[in-house]
């Protein structure tokens, strides 16, 4: 049902971590060494990782990152029996993350050319194409505040182009890092984009500068930090996400934007033995970040999926052969969107109606925001790029910066994040829970459409492919508490 999210994937060996076979002088070759594999090793909740680290070493593993704050180790080993050998006292659970990488839902970029101009936010040269900013009353908000530079937003994504003329002044370079592989690398090249400009687009929506060039972001007065979690094959692995949440928490960030998914099943089942440790590790990381004052914002997904009624998931894993899993229950969470305390954001198009692709679900969606809808105008027959979201881009082939359109809940999430950043600038001191409630309270409620909703019956995948039914009242499954509003959030 979903062509945006479950697109064809580049062939990828998910865990290619370099030459894994160490030569041990003089001894017989180790029997049956396998490819080097990454593992998450969890100490019991609240325990230190010392015992677990000793078990990793004894099992022919190497600890590449130790997250003592949450009792999680990232280890690598070529020993095929590593998981069995590492289990024991001091280790609550262990799971290989091989195959658990999830492809970034990249989206297509339609580039535009930018003229020069100067002036207030509405006079940015491309502002006339930023319908999204008008919709959430960004100009009115900017008359109050554009945001404070001590509010730093972690963009957990594919990196941010630090040479972009609309972003160069907006990046907290001292707080930016790569987390690919679960290990931090703070060199500027490491957190710049390689094969994807997704993070550059997201960053621009949050904080592109008011500088007479290109576009404006929702909160150009705040700073963004690149926290690169997408590897060069376009995958996000759980260890990278864990690293990203901890990095943001330990570097004073108040918000993170998460326009991605971290499990290949899309719906990660807590009661699945293989996936449970992954869920636990990510859960610990998110809980830790909340304890440090971070509000995490996540995209709902582009599957037009009712997250409140999970029955089957036929598309996953998206880095392997699809298998059908019956009877998924609500114990299966879309991570990080459905982790407790995370602001879950759906998408609307230029009319304010649900974007055809946006996932939904009563009790799951917290708010909605502009994500674009390039199909509604022709009932699905054709794509109209200008109904997408215009932001900053980086052409990974020509290595040049620019501006262009993308659509998706990946684009709506950063609007909500930007509004939260403005709110925090205008009303400092809110806890993550208070900020989340405030974001909902200041949103513009929007009622459910009646009956079966489908703005794109002519879409080539079939007349009913994007059917969806909204349930709920003032707060409902399509729009949550409503469309975020930058002005009511700062006035
Ligand atoms: Ca600009
Ligand atoms: Ca939520």
């Amino acid at each position: 049902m979903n062509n945006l999210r479950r697109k064809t994937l580049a062939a990828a060996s998910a865990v290619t971590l370099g030459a894994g076979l160490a030569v041990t002088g003089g001894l017989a070759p180790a029997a049956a060494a396998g490819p080097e594999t990454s593992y998450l090793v969890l100490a019991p909740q609240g325990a230190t990782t010392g015992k677990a680290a000793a078990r990793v070493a004894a099992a022919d593993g190497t600890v590449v990152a130790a997250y003592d704050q949450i009792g999680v180790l990232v280890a690598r080993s070529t020993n095929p029996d590593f998981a069995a050998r590492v289990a024991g006292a001091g280790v609550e659970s262990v799971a290989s993350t091989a195959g658990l990488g999830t492809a970034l839902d990249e989206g297509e970029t339609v580039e535009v050319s930018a003229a020069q101009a100067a002036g207030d936010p509405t006079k940015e040269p491309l502002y006339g194409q930023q319908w999204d900013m008008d919709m959430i009353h960004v100009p009115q908000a900017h008359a109050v505040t554009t945001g404070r530079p001590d509010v730093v937003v972690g963009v957990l994504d594919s990196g941010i182009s630090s040479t972009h003329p609309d972003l160069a002044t907006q990046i907290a370079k001292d707080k930016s890092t790569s987390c690919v592989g679960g290990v931090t690398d703070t060199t500027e090249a490491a957190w710049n984009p390689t094969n994807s400009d997704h993070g550059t687009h997201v960053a621009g929506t949050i904080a592109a500068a008011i500088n007479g060039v290109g576009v404006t972001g929702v909160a150009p007065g705040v700073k963004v930090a690149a926290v690169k979690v997408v590897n060069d094959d376009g995958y996000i692995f759980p260890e990278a996400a864990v690293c990203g949440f901890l990095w943001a928490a330990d570097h004073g960030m108040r918000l993170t934007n998460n326009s991605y998914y971290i499990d290949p099943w899309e719906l990660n089942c807590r009661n699945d033995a293989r996936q449970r440790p992954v869920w636990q590790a990510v859960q610990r990381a998110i809980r830790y970040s909340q304890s440090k004052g971070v509000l995490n914002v996540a995209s709902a997904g582009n599957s037009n999926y009712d997250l409140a009624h999970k029955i089957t998931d036929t598309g996953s894993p998206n880095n392997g052969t699809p298998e059908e899993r019956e009877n998924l229950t609500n114990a299966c969470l879309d991570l990080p969107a459905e982790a407790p305390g995370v602001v879950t954001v759906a998408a609307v198009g230029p009319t304010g109606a649900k974007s055809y692709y946006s996932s939904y679900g009563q009790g799951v969606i917290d708010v909605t925001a502009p994500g674009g809808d390039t199909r509604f105008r022709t009932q699905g027959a054709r794509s109209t790029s200008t109904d997408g979201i215009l932001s900053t881009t980086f052409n990974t082939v020509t290595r040049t910066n620019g501006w262009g359109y993308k659509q998706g809940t990946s684009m709506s999430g950063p609007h909500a994040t930007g509004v939260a950043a403005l709110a925090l600038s205008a009303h400092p001191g809110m806890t993550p829970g208070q900020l989340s409630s405030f974001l909902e309270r200041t949103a513009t409620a929007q009622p459910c459409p009646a009956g079966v909703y489908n703005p794109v019956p002519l879409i080539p995948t079939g007349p009913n492919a994007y059917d969806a039914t909204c349930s709920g009242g003032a707060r409902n499954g399509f729009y949550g508490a409503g469309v975020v509003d930058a002005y009511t959030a700062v006035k």
Side-chain angles (χ1 to χ4, degrees):
M1 63 181 176
N2 165 33
N3 296 318
L4 286 168
R5 183 149 159 185
R6 292 173 185 144
K7 59 189 185 124
T8 306
L9 303 171
S13 69
V15 183
T16 41
L17 296 169
L21 301 178
V23 175
T24 50
L27 300 175
E36 188 170 63
T37 300
S38 288
Y39 296 85
L40 286 171
V41 180
L42 280 70
Q45 180 74 49
T48 62
T49 54
K51 280 185 186 169
R55 295 199 68 88
V56 167
D60 302 334
T62 304
V63 173
V64 296
Y67 295 111
D68 292 319
Q69 307 97 313
I70 59 170
V72 172
L73 300 175
V74 180
R76 292 177 191 159
S77 179
T78 58
N79 187 334
D81 298 326
F82 176 80
R85 288 185 55 189
V86 84
V91 173
E92 181 180 296
S93 56
V94 55
S96 158
T97 64
L100 290 181
T102 304
L104 182 68
D105 184 357
E106 192 64 61
E108 177 194 6
T109 303
V110 179
E111 293 176 15
V112 300
S113 60
Q116 296 287 315
D120 68 52
T122 65
K123 299 285 180 10
E124 290 294 275
L126 297 176
Y127 188 81
Q129 297 166 67
Q130 292 188 274
W131 57 265
D132 50 319
M133 298 294 166
D134 277 345
M135 177 181 281
I136 64 171
H137 303 132
V138 166
Q140 294 89 332
H142 285 184
V144 180
T145 181
T146 58
R148 294 163 45 117
D150 60 333
V151 173
V152 180
V153 179
V155 178
L156 276 61
D157 213 294
S158 62
I160 302 174
S161 173
S162 61
T163 57
H164 198 293
D166 240 345
L167 292 171
T169 58
Q170 309 303 90
I171 301 172
K173 292 187 174 182
D174 60 332
K175 294 179 189 292
S176 293
T177 190
S178 167
C179 268
V180 172
V183 181
T184 58
D185 179 349
T186 58
T187 58
E188 191 163 331
W191 53 259
N192 261 263
T194 40
N195 294 332
S196 163
D197 73 343
H198 188 272
T200 298
H201 198 278
V202 164
T205 295
I206 297 169
I210 296 176
N211 55 358
V213 175
V215 295
T216 184
V218 175
V222 308
K223 298 294 179 194
V224 285
V227 182
K228 189 174 178 179
V229 296
V230 180
N231 74 10
D232 288 351
D233 294 323
Y235 282 82
I236 303 100
F237 278 88
E239 58 268 37
V242 167
C243 167
F245 284 119
L246 291 186
W247 175 270
D250 288 338
H251 290 80
M253 297 181 206
R254 301 298 310 278
L255 287 157
T256 69
N257 185 86
N258 303 269
S259 290
Y260 64 91
Y261 317 94
I262 44 181
D263 67 87
W265 292 104
E266 177 175 332
L267 306 166
N268 196 340
C269 294
R270 276 174 286 177
N271 50 16
D272 179 306
R274 165 101 161 90
Q275 297 181 46
R276 184 175 161 78
V278 171
W279 191 90
Q280 287 175 313
V282 174
Q283 180 67 9
R284 285 187 191 181
I286 291 173
R287 203 179 293 132
Y288 175 79
S289 75
Q290 289 163 344
S291 78
K292 292 288 183 176
V294 183
L295 180 64
N296 301 297
V297 178
S299 304
N302 301 330
S303 302
N304 185 41
Y305 198 91
D306 184 354
L307 294 165
H309 296 94
K310 294 161 185 155
I311 301 164
T312 59
D313 174 18
T314 56
S316 297
N318 62 13
N319 61 343
T321 306
E323 299 168 23
E324 184 145 358
R325 296 189 305 168
E326 300 288 346
N327 301 318
L328 293 183
T329 69
N330 288 346
C332 303
L333 296 185
D334 201 346
L335 291 175
E338 289 192 77
V342 172
V343 177
T344 312
V345 188
V348 296
T351 65
K354 174 187 172 297
S355 303
Y356 69 93
Y357 54 78
S358 180
S359 287
Y360 57 100
Q362 193 178 11
V364 178
I365 301 303
D366 295 310
V367 290
T368 191
D373 188 332
T374 62
R375 290 278 179 171
F376 83 95
R377 202 175 287 279
T378 60
Q379 296 186 26
R382 289 184 308 282
S383 182
T384 307
S385 61
T386 50
D387 289 326
I389 301 297
L390 183 64
S391 186
T392 44
T393 58
F394 178 74
N395 187 312
T396 57
V397 176
T398 61
R399 317 298 296 173
T400 51
N401 298 297
W403 292 266
Y405 292 95
K406 290 179 188 282
Q407 72 169 351
T409 56
S410 284
M411 281 68 244
S412 67
H415 286 84
T417 302
V419 171
L422 286 180
L424 203 53
S425 300
H427 312 291
M430 281 192 277
T431 65
Q434 289 167 337
L435 180 55
S436 170
S437 299
F438 188 74
L439 197 61
E440 294 177 14
R441 209 162 57 239
T442 56
T444 306
Q446 189 150 297
C448 277
V452 176
Y453 173 82
N454 186 344
V456 291
L458 302 181
I459 211 160
T461 44
N464 304 114
Y466 288 92
D467 282 358
T469 303
C470 182
S471 53
R475 187 186 179 106
N476 58 60
F478 276 16
Y479 307 111
V483 183
V484 295
D485 191 295
Y487 181 53
T488 57
V490 299
K491 72 178 183 186

